[in-house]
Amino acid sequence: MRISIFLLLLSFCATSAAGGQGRTIMVFGDSLSAGYGIDRASGWVKLLQHKLDAEEQPYKVINASISGDTTRGGLERLPKALQQWSPAIVLIELGGNDGLRGLSLESMTGNLDKMIQLSKKAGARVLLLGIKLPANYGPAYGERFYRIYPSLAQKHHIPLVPFLLESVADRKTLMQADGIHPLASAQPIVMENVYRYLQPLL
């Protein structure tokens, strides 16, 4: 009888442990997610954690974003991050620095494609965050750049945040002096832009 109870408890603990796994959301981006120019605690990634906590969603948000990172750099460090955090959901927010530096859009597309594949292979659901370049980069180049995100989202059947800085980038009062990074006051808007598309994955 005691052995039976022990085995039952052991089985319950194993089931509970398995159910508790995969509750990590990993934000994998660049300065827009790393909180460049502002207190990291006021960044949209931290606000996302507060939002999830308030709604009693059992997820821990890991911010694996690095300012200045490109899709090439992201691809190089993603395997280790996936192994370290075993995320249930990966938010990929990269490409902006590729565009700003005029790097190959073909290489950018290939790098993002591989990151999506690696994340899915690791068992994570993927949310892709779309970026737009400032208008001074020219409409033709900017349009080619922007189309990469919906194209990849469609190819891999994953959700897409059309534009991370929607209702922010076009308002100077919400942007830092460089015209690229949002102020702390804009972070709640950015967070809601993401949460709208993240919520169905939770």
Side-chain angles (χ1 to χ4, degrees):
M1 184 66 175
R2 290 181 179 177
I3 294 176
S4 297
I5 293 174
F6 173 77
L7 292 175
L8 183 62
L9 289 171
L10 185 62
S11 175
F12 175 78
C13 291
T15 303
S16 298
Q21 293 176 348
R23 292 296 188 177
T24 298
I25 297 172
M26 184 172 72
V27 179
F28 201 75
D30 50 35
S31 57
L32 293 176
S33 299
Y36 176 86
I38 61 173
D39 182 352
R40 196 178 178 104
S42 64
W44 74 263
V45 178
K46 193 66 175 179
L47 297 181
L48 175 60
Q49 181 69 75
H50 295 329
K51 177 86 168 181
L52 293 169
D53 291 344
E55 298 194 352
E56 299 183 346
Q57 294 278 8
Y59 286 91
K60 179 180 180 181
V61 182
I62 299 297
N63 195 348
S65 304
I66 297 179
S67 292
D69 205 6
T70 61
T71 57
R72 179 179 178 181
L75 180 58
E76 290 175 351
R77 64 188 180 89
L78 180 59
K80 183 177 180 180
L82 290 171
Q83 183 178 21
Q84 179 178 0
W85 300 111
S86 299
I89 303 172
V90 176
L91 277 59
I92 299 178
E93 180 274 299
L94 285 168
N97 288 309
D98 295 62
L100 293 174
R101 297 175 188 179
L103 302 180
S104 167
L105 295 185
E106 288 73 21
S107 294
M108 172 185 158
T109 302
N111 293 335
L112 287 171
D113 188 281
K114 291 174 184 175
M115 279 189 276
I116 294 169
Q117 292 184 55
L118 285 172
S119 298
K120 294 179 74 173
K121 187 176 181 180
R125 287 162 288 172
V126 179
L127 175 60
L128 188 61
L129 278 55
I131 305 295
K132 291 182 180 180
L133 295 177
N136 60 314
Y137 278 75
Y141 183 77
E143 184 61 25
R144 284 180 56 214
F145 173 89
Y146 177 67
R147 285 180 181 174
I148 291 173
Y149 297 96
S151 176
L152 287 172
Q154 183 176 21
K155 175 183 177 181
H156 292 284
H157 306 287
I158 60 174
L160 168 73
V161 175
F163 181 32
L164 178 64
L165 303 184
E166 186 69 42
S167 302
V168 171
D170 58 347
R171 298 166 63 182
K172 291 184 178 180
T173 55
L174 294 177
M175 299 295 290
Q176 297 182 38
D178 61 12
I180 296 173
H181 300 93
L183 292 166
S185 57
Q187 299 299 314
I189 301 175
V190 179
M191 186 274 289
E192 290 293 346
N193 287 343
V194 174
Y195 190 72
R196 186 182 317 154
Y197 296 91
L198 173 64
Q199 191 173 22
L201 298 180
L202 299 177

